[in-house]
Amino acid sequence: MLFPERLHQFTKEHADAVAALVCGLFLLCGWLALHLGFLGWALLLLPIAYVIGGYESAREGLTTLITEKELDVDLLMIVAALGAAGLGLWRREYYLIIDGAILILIFAISGALEGYAMRRTERSIRSLMSLTQDTARVVRRGNQEVIPIKQLQVGDEIIVKPGELIPTDAVIVEGYSTLNQAAITGESLPVEKTVGDEVFAGTLNGYGALKLKLHQPPESSLIQRVIRLVQQAQTETPPSQQFIERFERGYARVIVIAGVLLLILPPFLWNWDWETAIYRALTFLVVASPCALMAAIMPTLLSGIANGARQGILFKNGAQLEMIGKVRAIAFDKTGTLTTGLLEVCEVIPTSDYTKADVLKAAASVESRSEHPLGLAIVKASKNLDWKAATEVQAFPGQGIVGIIDNQEVIAGKDDFVKKYVADLPKNLIEIATNLELQGKTVVWIAEKRWGERFHPTIPLPEHQVLGIIAIADTVRSQAAGTISRLKKLGIEQIVMLTGDNQQTAESVARELGVDRVYAELLPEDKLHVIRRLQQEYKTVAMVGDGINDAPALAQASVGIAMGAAGSDVALETADIVLMADRLEKIEVAIRLGKRTQEIVKQNITIALGFIILLLIGNFLGEINLPIGVVGHEGSTVLVTLSGLRLLKN
């Protein structure tokens, strides 16, 4: 791409920021020209700053005035700035034009930040769309054709090869495979699917080829519903935002009406001359402008955001920095958030005749020939042991695997599968295995059978012997329990866990971590409904997640928090806060930072309103002139800005 094209694309994507930057440059040049005595240049450059920086605010303010018959802060700032400029020209106090330009620059910067926040929805939807297939391989008239998804019809048969994404929701009519559904349902283990089972668009097919039959239109698929839910949740204006908008418009209306009354009534009530009335009215517009109020909030929030960034906490907008300090309930996704999302061998229990190493080596010898996630976990746990791969390996999907190693047959699989080879399983291991499964762990049984002369017709074959069992689970994050405990001490009233996993596994993890409430076997839309119910009960609710299936809940929550390193693209785009290092304990840091931000914002607002009230009283009594009013106004702005910068300290 050529430089002019890149420049055009950049200015198009960042138009608000570019306008604020150019406004600032013209303001600086105009100030220098005025300071050096080049009045003509100053009067040329400063109006350009007004036009470039104030265009968007003026347009929005006039649009609101015309279409909604409402005054807002955008229009008030433009009126105040133009009033300062007009007064400066009238009285030849040209520095007042600078003050007006500064007011416009502040609002231009604010508008740029708001623009970036508004584009977040579009990015999140694009991320979701990237997870959907554009085409599908369809069987028609005995031949395979690749056609666009939108051309699929109910009843079409679709072929999905190993390692491919499922293109749309459908039902398996032929084949067997394991599907990784973590991105959609949040299940930690790949799910075995066979004829008659439903599969979801966006899930990853394992080792088996599948033939699917489309049973509903592609636009009704689960991933498409997730997209619509994200759109809906992110476009809903929260009550706090509605209150701020009403306050801004009410404030602007009161100030404008008061300014007009101050211009008209004093000549009749107190015999002011018209020049004094106009002077006081324009001074009123300057000192009453909400610049100090805006500075009371944004510098504080930006300082808090910078503080969080240094500690690995990315706040996507300042409003969420305030909001997280008000959180009363937190919902955690389980897989990849409270747990690592990685399967690991957590226990090996041998029978009395064998050691743990014997069990692991036998299991690894056959599982090394398998691509099943459970097998990969066993092989990983056996990496420091001396074993060799089995031969004549035969896998039985959904049951187990059998192979030959050093003239002995090794069996690994479920208890029902191993029972086909072993007459009686050890009772003590059955009891242990049952307890492990109640804890949400997957148990793999290992057995072997030795030969004297292999297949010798006169030598009877001894029965298989059980070597032991291996428990595999998605391990809980080491810092999860401590984080939850500290959050409760911090005042969080309810800790909730949401997961697509089964109820038994979920409750086991919840007991280990001290979670108050568990919701299991959830689809993405179910998580969204849970968040809404929690918001009805606790008002301000945070959601912590990492997967695509968490996106609607992250968007709906008062504060969405995504795990950075492990999180999917759509979760990172949808969330308001990202924990860049996947450290759960940073949630406590973020909440403390949010609470501190609230305190400083309240202090700053009190200071700003106090100055405005004092300046308004002084102006009405005639005790201050415009330069003093500007000094007081700008001084209060500087004061609250410096106050907000306190958050830069840890």
Side-chain angles (χ1 to χ4, degrees):
M1 186 182 295
L2 298 177
F3 177 75
E5 295 177 352
R6 291 180 178 178
L7 181 62
H8 175 72
Q9 182 177 353
F10 178 84
T11 54
K12 183 178 180 181
E13 293 178 355
H14 307 278
D16 295 339
V18 170
L21 177 62
V22 174
C23 172
L25 290 174
F26 275 98
L27 171 58
L28 177 61
C29 293
W31 176 81
L32 288 173
L34 188 62
H35 182 69
L36 296 174
F38 299 110
L39 180 60
W41 279 104
L43 295 181
L44 174 64
L45 295 171
L46 291 174
I48 297 176
Y50 273 68
V51 172
I52 294 175
Y55 171 78
E56 192 63 29
S57 293
R59 186 184 65 82
E60 291 181 3
L62 290 173
T63 300
T64 302
L65 180 64
I66 294 171
T67 59
E68 301 179 26
K69 304 298 187 293
E70 293 281 358
L71 293 169
D72 62 9
V73 175
D74 290 302
L75 189 57
L76 177 60
M77 290 300 295
I78 296 299
V79 172
L82 293 177
L87 191 59
L89 290 172
W90 177 33
R91 297 178 63 87
R92 297 187 180 181
E93 296 172 352
Y94 300 110
Y95 62 86
L96 294 178
I97 305 176
I98 300 291
D99 290 329
I102 290 174
L103 296 180
I104 285 180
L105 176 61
I106 291 173
F107 244 58
I109 294 172
S110 175
L113 294 174
E114 182 180 353
Y116 283 122
M118 292 298 292
R119 284 191 287 273
R120 202 173 76 247
T121 299
E122 182 182 350
R123 291 198 303 270
S124 67
I125 300 304
R126 283 202 303 267
S127 296
L128 276 173
M129 293 300 294
S130 68
L131 298 165
T132 60
Q133 293 279 81
D134 295 325
T135 60
R137 190 181 293 103
V138 181
V139 178
R140 288 183 176 173
R141 296 179 295 276
N143 298 319
Q144 294 185 15
E145 302 177 13
V146 177
I147 66 172
I149 294 291
K150 61 183 179 181
Q151 293 183 11
L152 289 173
Q153 299 177 358
V154 175
D156 278 344
E157 292 188 343
I158 303 168
I159 301 297
V160 180
K161 295 182 178 180
E164 291 184 343
L165 285 174
I166 303 297
T168 186
D169 290 10
V171 175
I172 298 176
V173 294
E174 185 179 314
Y176 171 90
S177 186
T178 58
L179 267 66
N180 186 340
Q181 298 188 151
I184 300 298
T185 66
E187 291 171 289
S188 55
L189 295 174
V191 178
E192 296 170 349
K193 297 282 188 176
T194 188
V195 176
D197 292 335
E198 183 179 12
V199 295
F200 299 123
T203 57
L204 184 63
N205 185 23
Y207 54 80
L210 298 174
K211 179 184 284 188
L212 314 176
K213 187 171 185 179
L214 191 63
H215 65 302
Q216 63 181 7
E219 59 269 18
S220 300
S221 67
L222 183 61
I223 188 67
Q224 295 297 333
R225 297 204 303 272
V226 170
I227 292 173
R228 289 194 292 271
L229 289 169
V230 172
Q231 288 176 318
Q232 179 182 352
Q234 285 196 323
T235 54
E236 290 177 354
T237 304
S240 58
Q241 182 63 31
Q242 295 174 6
F243 171 77
I244 291 173
E245 291 175 358
R246 288 196 301 269
F247 172 79
E248 287 180 348
R249 293 177 182 178
Y251 180 85
R253 190 184 302 114
V254 169
I255 295 303
V256 170
I257 293 174
V260 173
L261 293 176
L262 189 58
L263 173 66
I264 297 174
L265 295 182
F268 298 101
L269 298 179
W270 297 290
N271 295 320
W272 289 9
D273 58 72
W274 285 102
E275 182 178 343
T276 300
I278 294 172
Y279 184 79
R280 294 300 176 198
L282 291 175
T283 304
F284 172 82
L285 287 177
V286 172
V287 300
S289 65
C291 184
L293 282 174
M294 299 300 294
I297 299 174
M298 283 309 299
T300 305
L301 298 182
L302 293 174
S303 298
I305 290 172
N307 188 321
R310 288 204 305 265
Q311 303 186 68
I313 306 167
L314 175 61
F315 294 94
K316 291 191 175 180
N317 60 65
Q320 297 306 327
L321 175 57
E322 276 192 307
M323 186 66 71
I324 195 170
K326 303 175 184 177
V327 166
R328 296 174 55 197
I330 301 180
F332 286 91
D333 170 55
K334 181 183 77 70
T335 306
T337 303
L338 292 175
T339 66
T340 62
L342 302 174
L343 294 179
E344 293 183 7
V345 171
C346 51
E347 289 190 57
V348 179
I349 298 95
T351 57
S352 57
D353 297 330
Y354 298 91
T355 65
K356 292 183 179 181
D358 293 333
V359 177
L360 279 174
K361 286 192 292 184
S365 67
V366 290
E367 294 290 3
S368 63
R369 299 297 191 182
S370 169
E371 295 181 359
H372 197 284
L374 294 175
L376 297 177
I378 291 174
V379 172
K380 180 181 177 182
S382 309
K383 63 181 180 180
N384 295 324
L385 300 176
D386 185 20
W387 55 269
K388 60 182 180 180
T391 59
E392 301 181 35
V393 176
Q394 184 178 7
F396 297 84
Q399 301 179 62
I401 190 169
V402 178
I404 305 298
I405 177 72
D406 291 337
N407 203 35
Q408 69 185 43
E409 189 175 42
V410 176
I411 302 96
K414 296 179 178 180
D415 54 354
D416 290 340
F417 178 69
V418 175
K419 282 180 182 178
K420 297 177 182 178
Y421 298 84
V422 180
D424 296 307
L425 300 180
K427 293 183 179 180
N428 66 317
L429 284 188
I430 293 176
E431 184 177 346
I432 294 173
T434 302
N435 290 331
L436 289 171
E437 289 172 346
L438 289 175
Q439 297 171 24
K441 298 178 174 66
T442 300
V443 175
V444 178
W445 288 76
I446 311 298
E448 70 175 8
K449 178 177 182 180
R450 295 182 183 275
W451 281 290
E453 292 288 334
R454 189 180 177 198
F455 302 126
H456 195 286
T458 61
I459 299 178
L461 298 178
E463 288 191 1
H464 289 74
Q465 299 181 31
V466 174
L467 278 67
I469 57 177
I470 299 174
I472 301 171
D474 178 12
T475 55
V476 173
R477 289 181 184 268
S478 59
Q479 69 272 32
T483 296
I484 289 175
S485 176
R486 289 191 296 273
L487 287 174
K488 290 182 178 180
K489 292 179 181 178
L490 196 58
I492 303 301
E493 300 174 30
Q494 190 76 200
I495 304 291
V496 179
M497 186 172 74
L498 312 180
T499 181
D501 260 348
N502 61 74
Q503 189 75 33
Q504 183 173 289
T505 301
E507 289 179 353
S508 172
V509 174
R511 285 193 299 270
E512 182 178 350
L513 298 179
V515 172
D516 299 318
R517 206 184 300 178
V518 177
Y519 296 90
E521 302 177 13
L522 302 177
L523 291 174
E525 55 211 84
D526 300 325
K527 292 185 178 182
L528 176 65
H529 297 323
V530 172
I531 293 296
R532 284 176 173 165
R533 290 199 297 272
L534 289 172
Q535 286 175 321
Q536 292 175 357
E537 187 174 354
Y538 296 100
K539 304 301 181 185
T540 308
V541 177
M543 169 68 191
V544 188
D546 72 312
I548 302 160
N549 58 298
D550 301 320
L554 287 169
Q556 173 64 34
S558 310
V559 183
I561 304 173
M563 306 294 286
S568 67
D569 289 342
V570 67
L572 301 183
E573 289 288 352
T574 306
D576 303 296
I577 301 172
V578 178
L579 306 181
M580 301 305 294
D582 280 358
R583 294 174 58 185
L584 279 176
E585 65 268 24
K586 291 299 182 180
I587 296 176
E588 178 195 3
V589 177
I591 292 176
R592 291 187 183 278
L593 190 57
K595 289 181 179 293
R596 179 63 174 153
T597 299
Q598 288 183 65
E599 293 175 2
I600 294 178
V601 166
K602 290 176 182 178
Q603 294 169 6
N604 289 350
I605 290 175
T606 302
I607 294 171
L609 288 176
F611 266 89
I612 290 175
I613 292 171
L614 289 175
L615 290 172
L616 290 177
I617 294 174
N619 178 54
F620 181 77
L621 297 176
E623 297 297 328
I624 64 171
N625 54 26
L626 186 56
I628 293 177
V630 172
V631 169
H633 175 266
E634 300 298 336
S636 63
T637 303
V638 171
L639 181 60
V640 297
T641 300
L642 293 175
S643 173
L645 295 181
R646 288 182 289 164
L647 275 178
L648 289 175
K649 296 181 180 180
N650 288 329

